[in-house]
Amino acid sequence: MYRITPKRTFPPLWRVIVGFIVVPALAAFVLAYFMPAYDGLTNATERVLRTAIMYALFGAYPPTILIGIPAYFALRNRFDLNLLNCSMVGAALAALPWILISLVSSPDQASTDGRPTVVAGSMTAFGWLSLAQFVGQIAVFGALGGGFFWAIVAAGSGTGKVSND
């Protein structure tokens, strides 16, 4: 029996391009505001700006280019472009590189604030909890970035409406 499948509508390509250019920088600035890395600088504005540049170049744009763009084009036919989906993909996109790095790296000994996180090449319970906390924080900012992506790309563009044309 023939079944009519609904036709999906997609946002204009220019909105997608703007989203992939603006959102990683915006997420890097938000992360840098809450977690500045250059504590030695005296000016808070300069600290946030330099940290945001570092986060954008080494933390936001590479996963966006390597994983985010292909994921968008692979998943857009299967999932709606709504706030929840964009936030979940943003969280996964931000957390995935850090999970992979932590699984590949294998220091012999490591500690945080005097508490051992790796002993004899094996993660301790505190190490797993510290890793989960760090990756969770990164995932929250990634989810926020996914929300920004939805706001720029999909909100108000008429996407998400399915027609039977």
Side-chain angles (χ1 to χ4, degrees):
M1 174 189 266
Y2 179 72
R3 190 170 81 197
I4 298 174
T5 57
K7 181 181 177 187
R8 290 191 183 273
T9 58
F10 301 110
L13 185 59
W14 70 268
R15 287 183 84 145
V16 175
I17 292 170
V18 168
F20 279 119
I21 292 172
V22 171
V23 169
L26 188 59
F29 271 106
V30 172
L31 181 61
Y33 178 77
F34 288 104
M35 298 170 59
Y38 288 96
D39 293 333
L41 297 173
T42 57
N43 187 351
T45 305
E46 186 177 0
R47 213 174 20 235
V48 170
L49 180 63
R50 289 184 183 220
T51 305
I53 291 169
M54 181 189 68
Y55 285 163
L57 291 178
F58 299 110
Y61 280 109
T64 298
I65 293 167
L66 297 174
I67 303 168
I69 294 172
Y72 170 78
F73 287 107
L75 298 175
R76 73 180 188 162
N77 289 324
R78 299 196 181 268
F79 297 101
D80 292 333
L81 196 61
N82 58 33
L83 180 60
L84 179 63
N85 289 343
C86 288
S87 295
M88 288 189 332
V89 170
L93 179 66
L96 183 65
W98 293 103
I99 292 170
L100 294 176
I101 288 171
S102 67
L103 293 176
V104 171
S105 68
S106 59
D108 189 44
Q109 303 286 333
S111 65
T112 301
D113 293 330
R115 296 189 65 186
T117 55
V118 178
V119 175
S122 297
M123 292 273 286
T124 63
F126 180 72
W128 285 111
L129 289 173
S130 297
L131 177 65
Q133 178 185 7
F134 174 72
V135 170
Q137 287 174 342
I138 297 298
V140 166
F141 287 103
L144 185 64
F148 291 150
F149 183 80
W150 173 80
I152 291 172
V153 175
S157 69
T159 60
K161 296 177 179 61
V162 178
S163 65
N164 289 327
D165 297 337

